[in-house]
Amino acid sequence: MAEIIDGRLIAKELRAAVKKQVAVLNEANVIPGLAVILVGDDPASEIYVRNKGRAAEKVGVAAQTFQYDASLSEAELIAKIEGLNADPAIDAILVQSPLPDHINEQRIQEAILPQKDVDGFHPENVGQLFADRKGFFPVANTPRGVMTMLHHEHVELSGKNAVVVGRSVLVGTPMFALLQRENATVSLLHRHTPEALRHQLLQQADLIVVAVGVPKLIQGEDIKPGAVVIDVGINRMDDGKLIGDVDFEAAEPKASLITPVPGGVGPMTIATLLETTVELAAIHHGIQLEAGWQNI
Ligand code: GUN
């Protein structure tokens, strides 16, 4: 029987820690500012963006949301980003993915000033992560949130066999870097990994992180007894139910620790976004936050 990792509770603790650091910034007359840009009317993105705005306001981050029609041109979006890059009230800029097909996502990621790149998608920040640079730079919030969960649960990573399934820029690829930086031996699996090899690697894994968007891809037989299982997938089924990329009922009896869907990794992403926003604001204003405040 696994212990269930309560992402809602950990996210709540992280938001409380963020709120305390906002107070430190406020003492220096700084209000951290987050700009969120949404292009088009994708209903899921609208909900995410609304939730980001609400969560920001609750911890004292000033959030501005800019919603544009799907017909917005790439040049217009870049002009908007450049305006925010130059705006001293804005510390963090997030452009919600996915974007309409006529907008090149990579050019948008590169238009955001690396110092305001709260998603950590700018190649300069991705490069800092893969070049194993020290000091602060923004890292994608979902994998960073997973690391916070693992630390919170005191999961030992050094010397462990970790398997990451999915190589997206948002999750899998930075997850690989973050885990190997903490001395895990990491395999990065993707759609071209032969099925037999996938099962073989999973069955040896001490830690599994899966982020592919395939319901129940990871089965009970894939779990080594005592493994830690982190499910980043959120799949809405025809009956409206949300399920993960892991067959939870089959995996739970074998794992030592497991995240549920919903209520696992999901709540961590927004809390981590606020964490990163506050860190960027502190750097922009030369303010020292309390040492180790992120260790919740
Ligand atoms: N769409 C889904 N997740 C994310 C995220 O973390 N950042 C951005 N910008 N868009 C997303």
Side-chain angles (χ1 to χ4, degrees):
M1 283 283 282
E3 188 185 319
I4 314 275
I5 305 179
D6 186 345
R8 292 195 180 104
L9 189 71
I10 303 172
K12 193 174 166 188
E13 285 180 33
L14 181 56
R15 286 196 304 271
V18 169
K19 200 171 176 177
K20 274 179 68 180
Q21 299 312 307
V22 171
V24 173
L25 292 172
N26 290 164
E27 275 170 30
N29 292 321
V30 171
I31 298 170
L34 167 68
V36 179
I37 299 179
L38 174 62
V39 185
D41 53 9
D42 175 61
S45 291
E46 280 183 354
I47 293 171
Y48 283 137
V49 164
R50 200 180 317 134
N51 289 344
K52 284 170 185 171
R54 281 190 191 146
E57 296 294 344
K58 276 192 192 159
V59 297
V61 167
Q64 293 183 45
T65 302
F66 303 92
Q67 184 165 2
Y68 298 103
D69 194 82
S71 64
L72 186 80
S73 72
E74 186 179 295
E76 286 169 321
L77 179 54
I78 290 177
K80 179 68 206 170
I81 291 168
E82 284 171 351
L84 294 167
N85 282 343
D87 183 345
I90 297 297
D91 297 293
I93 303 169
L94 181 148
V95 180
Q96 184 70 21
S97 292
L99 287 167
D101 289 344
H102 66 275
I103 298 179
N104 180 311
E105 204 138 335
Q106 292 186 354
R107 275 201 287 272
I108 299 308
Q109 289 165 357
E110 287 169 30
I112 298 172
L113 205 62
Q115 293 78 9
K116 296 193 178 189
D117 169 34
V118 70
D119 266 320
F121 296 161
H122 191 289
E124 188 174 309
N125 289 321
V126 175
Q128 301 241 47
L129 178 62
F130 277 83
D132 198 24
R133 294 301 161 97
K134 305 296 171 225
F136 178 80
F137 48 86
V139 173
N141 292 301
T142 301
R144 189 176 178 205
V146 170
M147 295 308 287
T148 301
M149 293 180 114
L150 294 172
H151 294 151
H152 187 272
E153 301 300 312
H154 307 290
V155 174
E156 177 65 48
L157 295 170
S158 183
K160 294 298 163 75
N161 182 357
V163 169
V164 177
V165 189
R167 59 175 167 182
S168 69
V169 174
L170 263 73
V171 187
T173 301
M175 193 78 248
F176 169 87
L178 290 167
L179 290 170
Q180 71 87 28
R181 193 168 74 169
E182 297 203 16
N183 303 321
T185 302
V186 192
S187 304
L188 185 59
L189 281 52
H190 46 76
R191 66 178 74 240
H192 298 286
T193 306
E195 196 176 330
L197 179 60
R198 185 179 81 228
H199 290 303
Q200 189 189 337
L201 291 169
L202 285 168
Q203 285 163 8
Q204 297 175 11
D206 302 308
L207 166 68
I208 296 170
V209 181
V210 55
V212 288
V214 178
K216 298 192 181 182
L217 177 75
I218 309 301
Q219 301 159 1
E221 59 169 318
D222 292 325
I223 314 292
K224 182 171 95 167
V228 175
V229 180
I230 306 290
D231 190 351
V232 186
I234 301 180
N235 307 288
R236 192 173 287 281
M237 308 314 279
D238 289 339
D239 62 2
K241 230 180 118 184
L242 291 178
I243 68 164
D245 293 347
V246 175
D247 183 344
F248 184 86
E249 276 70 35
E252 188 270 337
K254 296 178 84 177
S256 61
L257 275 171
I258 190 166
T259 58
V261 176
V265 176
M268 292 301 294
T269 298
I270 294 183
T272 308
L273 167 73
L274 303 174
E275 176 185 14
T276 308
T277 300
V278 163
E279 289 165 333
L280 291 172
I283 289 172
H284 296 157
H285 294 91
I287 297 165
Q288 193 75 40
L289 297 175
E290 286 166 25
W293 70 272
Q294 303 97 330
N295 301 327
I296 51 164

